[in-house]
Amino acid sequence: MPVIAVVNRKGGSGKSTLATHVAAWCAVTGRSAMLGDTDSQGSSSGWLKRRGASPDARGREILGWSADPRRVMRPPAGVTHVVLDTPGGLRGLDLAKIVAAADALILPVGHSVFDRESAAQCVAELRQLSRVAAGRCRIGVVGMRLDARTRGEAVLRAWAEEHGLPFVGALRETQGYVRCAEQGLTMFDLPAARAQPDLDQWRPILDWLQSVLSAAPRSAAGVPDEAEPAARAATPRREPVHRPRFSPSTAQVPLDVLEGPRERGGWLARVASWFGHATSRRRPLRGT
């Protein structure tokens, strides 16, 4: 099953807004979605509770999932799409495990230089992971809270092109997103006449997502096809125990054993007694 993760190290970049909207889009279009909240703040989990009590929520029920970013668990049967809302500051092994499970990464970026610098650091680390480097996990940039009266979108498009990333869309600054979040809703739950300008902005983002997910090879169970090297490093490697084996040519045998009388069975009996074994009753070899 396709897995979509919304990732950015910077807090307040709009990850929960994107994650809840992608999950609601899945539900409204008849897909069975699970919204995984890996952020300790629980923003997406709280939104799901409000959505469950809202009579205006459209589409299928969205399953909740308070997941630990260190353990990307297997979704239950029947789920066709998984959306992961990740915490700020995600890096290292936790970031690698999210990437190991994901087919598409949405990177929300604001207009400020601080947002762009933080996102650039995140992209640099993501490109060190094998699934991203091999193109099995695709990254798309979405401009967040952009004012149409500024050059914010043009600046972000140029930034994405500079870093070799697709700029898949931009969302405007509007109180509509704030009001929807308070009610457990999204723009996809509102009448089209009220939300059409915002729905138009979502169209290129959703087109990119569908093209990426339709081309993503996944296993039937939705489990990553291979673990990232950093994720595999989470399990300590148990070194094999090498036990020494007795060899007459290398063992340090006491001198009295070697110099003892070579009577029948005597030498063998002395060596066996030194190792704590009973003397063999087999016939001695010819010549001993």
Side-chain angles (χ1 to χ4, degrees), residues 46-239:
W47 175 85
L48 269 179
K49 292 179 181 178
R50 294 190 294 274
R51 183 177 183 83
S54 175
D56 297 323
R58 297 175 52 202
R60 304 182 64 170
E61 178 186 4
I62 302 173
L63 298 181
W65 182 22
S66 295
D68 185 340
R70 294 168 295 182
R71 296 187 303 114
V72 180
M73 300 177 290
R74 183 190 300 271
V79 172
T80 62
H81 289 68
V82 175
V83 182
L84 298 178
D85 183 12
T86 65
L90 193 65
R91 66 184 69 234
L93 180 59
D94 292 341
L95 178 61
K97 288 190 173 182
I98 293 294
V99 171
D103 297 295
L105 300 178
I106 301 178
L107 184 68
V109 185
H111 173 41
S112 76
V113 65
F114 304 113
D115 290 84
R116 298 196 300 273
E117 289 177 345
S118 176
Q121 294 174 3
C122 185
V123 169
E125 183 173 354
L126 286 170
R127 283 180 166 156
Q128 299 300 314
L129 302 176
S130 62
R131 281 183 58 81
V132 174
R136 297 193 301 274
C137 181
R138 304 275 298 279
I139 306 174
V141 175
V142 175
M144 297 298 293
R145 305 187 185 99
L146 298 183
D147 190 335
R149 297 169 297 179
T150 67
R151 295 184 60 254
E153 182 174 344
V155 171
L156 283 177
R157 283 186 180 276
W159 176 87
E161 182 178 358
E162 177 186 351
H163 288 80
L165 298 171
F167 186 82
V168 300
L171 302 181
R172 64 175 182 157
E173 176 73 42
T174 174
Q175 284 298 304
Y177 286 103
V178 177
R179 290 192 293 268
C180 282
E182 291 176 349
Q183 303 173 54
L185 302 175
T186 66
M187 295 295 180
F188 301 111
D189 298 299
L190 302 180
R194 289 178 52 190
Q196 195 59 54
D198 299 293
L199 296 177
D200 290 341
Q201 288 190 320
W202 270 97
R203 179 48 48 198
I205 300 173
L206 300 178
D207 288 344
W208 177 82
L209 270 178
Q210 292 186 78
S211 65
V212 169
L213 298 182
S214 62
R218 303 296 294 177
S219 62
V223 180
D225 50 3
E226 67 174 22
E228 293 291 338
R232 290 197 298 268
T235 303
R237 181 180 178 182
R238 180 172 295 179
E239 298 292 339

Side-chain angles (χ1 to χ4, degrees), residues 254-263 266-267 270:
L255 186 61
D256 63 327
V257 172
L258 296 178
E259 296 181 348
R262 292 178 58 83
E263 60 188 34
W267 186 87
R270 287 172 179 265

